[in-house]
Amino acid sequence: MRTTTRRGFLGLAGLSVLAACSAPPGPKPGAKATAAAMDKLAALVPKYVPRTVLTPDIAATLPGFGRDGYLTYPPSEKLVDLVTAVPGKGGSYKAMVPTWSPLPAPLGQNAYYDAVNKDLGATIEFNYLDGLTINDKLPTLLAGGDVADVTTLPGWALAAVPDYSRAVDGLFEDLTPYLSGDVSAKYPSLSAIPTTAWQYSVFGGKLKAVPAWPAPQFGWVLFHRKDLWDKLGQGAPKNADELLAMGKAVTDASKDRWAFSDIHPMIEEIYRAPRKWRKEGGTLVHRYETPEYAASVEWMRKAVDAGLVHPNVLSAKSAADDKELFKSGQILVKSDGFSFWAETLIQIGKEKPDFWMEPLPVFGADGGKPEYRMNQDPSYTFIKKGTPKEKIEELLAIFDYLSSPFGSQEQLLFNNGVEGVHFTRDSAGAPQVTELGPKEIVGSYVWLGGRVDPIFESQAHPDYVQTATTWWNTAATMRHQDPFDGIRVEEPGDFTAAAKPFEDKVVDIIRGRRGLDTLQQAITEWKTGGGDAGREFYMKVLTENGRA
């Protein structure tokens, strides 16, 4: 698939119209914080009607969390043309979506845009929001109120911004009247999006978004350059100490080779720090307060002090773009979203056929079972408030087209572009990207629909589908169990706001600008700055849902 994501989708959703210089008038941020059991939201969302086109070669082993795999791409004669009527009615829309790729040729100079827009019967013009700075820019963007006709935002980015309920209510349309109940006859592919993803798209008792990337995702995956790792005599680490020792063995600054990027989020998971809260002794303990979290910070600081982290990563003010360092072999282990795997193999494989990367096998810090975080909340595609009814219906028909499943002619087009222009087929019939393909196609239309995609990138590498499906379905059995699973939480704004200053301090600790002994003080400041208020709110949620 042509999508590009720096990371998966972390955290519960949040948006804000919080002004840059002062709080907005009205209730205190977080005053509208709510929680609802998912089953209570059923009447607001589409009835689930599954839609499968082809039988997979590898079936998911864990319903709802596993991934199917297709070892070969279906030949042209087996692809199904699902959308027989043109979904658009000639409308023209601007859409903002995130990207972590170089910007493609614009509308009017891009054959991919031309082809998909022609098939849609409408014109979608994309504006791209830089994924590396999205957390910094999103509050200001939303506070300005001048949103595009269509806006897609990752759930993990929304979670970093407090007081989101008023933004969603003020900026985006209520889709409940259009999509609640059985709408499978009108929107068959939207109806095939899992119910949980739709329930997460309910804000303040209204269905406000179409879920993008609706299947549970791993927020982070710990990739390594296995080709180089093996050449350097290293195997699969069985615990955190072994990973650190292997990092020391492979690092050689004189050869421009370092073991790690900043992999702290994955180290948290390896140490089994909870995603957010853990129930202990009748109360809730936040992950920041756990010994597992402290151990993960200490491990990462050891890696920095030992010179195992690339200096470009340490000198970056915010998130360093370490992809190219990984591709060139200057970094051997990095965290990224799952899709980074296929994207990189497609990009590098033809030039370097011996290039191979894959996730490290799953392991816990002490050698036991880890708890990898799978995020069930999707990204969200919103329609601008005030859009006329006929335009909303046109956009929903377009979103339905862009939700077409694997095995359809529609997905082949919006994933791969035009045959003979953006891709050709190899001897096995699998699409192979041309030189023009990456210049015109980045994650764009794929953000505007929701599909439970299998693992099928046969153009990535002959071993990719089997290896990736095996890793995913194994890791899914070790997913972290959250005490709030099945509850849609819109959390207090002051609690959400407290996270960034704390995590900025942790970055300083990891990178040696603060001492390890300052972690406890940072936790104390987080508690008084909103953490304890969040604990009180979340305890009330547990009590109201019979889980206290």
Side-chain angles (χ1 to χ4, degrees), residues 8 20 60 87 121 212 234 331 344 364 402 418 477 507 517:
Q234 304 305 310
I331 288 175
T344 304
L402 296 171
V418 180
T477 66
V507 169
D517 57 357

Side-chain angles (χ1 to χ4, degrees), residues 64-306:
F65 293 93
R67 296 274 294 275
D68 293 334
Y70 290 84
L71 296 173
T72 59
Y73 201 89
S76 297
E77 61 270 18
K78 285 192 176 181
L79 292 177
V80 179
D81 189 359
L82 291 178
V83 183
T84 55
V86 176
K89 299 185 182 300
S92 183
Y93 304 96
K94 292 185 182 297
M96 174 168 280
V97 299
T99 189
W100 289 263
S101 299
L103 295 182
L107 186 69
Q109 304 172 39
N110 189 313
Y112 169 66
Y113 290 159
D114 292 343
V116 180
N117 283 342
K118 180 179 179 181
D119 218 41
L120 291 175
T123 300
I124 306 293
E125 182 177 1
F126 288 96
N127 295 322
Y128 293 96
L129 186 61
D130 185 352
L132 291 178
T133 59
I134 191 170
N135 278 1
D136 296 328
K137 294 182 178 179
L138 186 56
T140 302
L141 184 151
L142 296 173
D146 187 20
V147 295
D149 301 312
V150 176
T151 302
T152 302
L153 298 170
W156 56 262
L158 308 185
V161 185
D163 195 27
Y164 55 82
S165 292
R166 281 187 290 168
V168 172
D169 187 55
L171 295 176
F172 304 117
E173 275 291 338
D174 177 11
L175 303 179
T176 315
Y178 301 91
L179 292 173
S180 62
D182 188 352
V183 294
S184 59
K186 191 171 186 179
Y187 305 120
S189 290
L190 291 180
S191 298
I193 296 175
T195 299
T196 299
W198 283 110
Q199 290 167 333
Y200 270 112
S201 303
V202 172
F203 295 81
K206 302 173 185 176
L207 179 61
K208 300 290 284 190
V210 170
W213 310 113
Q217 298 284 331
F218 288 101
W220 291 103
V221 178
L222 191 59
F223 291 107
H224 72 313
R225 282 290 305 273
K226 192 173 188 303
D227 50 353
L228 303 179
W229 197 256
D230 290 349
K231 286 181 181 178
L232 293 167
Q234 304 305 310
K238 297 181 176 62
N239 55 56
D241 289 341
E242 283 191 8
L243 179 61
L244 193 67
M246 290 176 179
K248 293 177 180 178
V250 301
T251 297
D252 189 339
S254 69
K255 296 181 179 178
D256 287 334
R257 187 176 67 233
W258 286 264
F260 306 119
S261 182
D262 184 351
I263 57 172
H264 182 232
M266 270 306 309
I267 297 300
E268 287 185 49
E269 298 186 37
I270 287 169
Y271 273 95
R272 305 185 190 90
R275 176 181 177 180
K276 189 163 289 188
W277 297 103
R278 174 190 295 158
K279 287 177 62 180
E280 286 184 11
T283 189
L284 288 171
V285 176
H286 194 273
R287 85 170 189 273
Y288 298 159
E289 303 169 295
T290 63
E292 293 89 347
Y293 184 83
S296 73
V297 174
E298 183 178 359
W299 188 98
M300 202 68 226
R301 176 62 179 268
K302 285 181 181 178
V304 170
D305 288 346

Side-chain angles (χ1 to χ4, degrees), residues 49-68:
V49 180
R51 194 180 204 194
T52 302
V53 175
L54 300 173
T55 302
D57 299 309
I58 305 170
T61 55
L62 190 65
F65 293 93
R67 296 274 294 275
D68 293 334

Side-chain angles (χ1 to χ4, degrees), residues 303-316:
V304 170
D305 288 346
L308 310 184
V309 179
H310 197 288
N312 287 15
V313 173
L314 297 178
S315 63

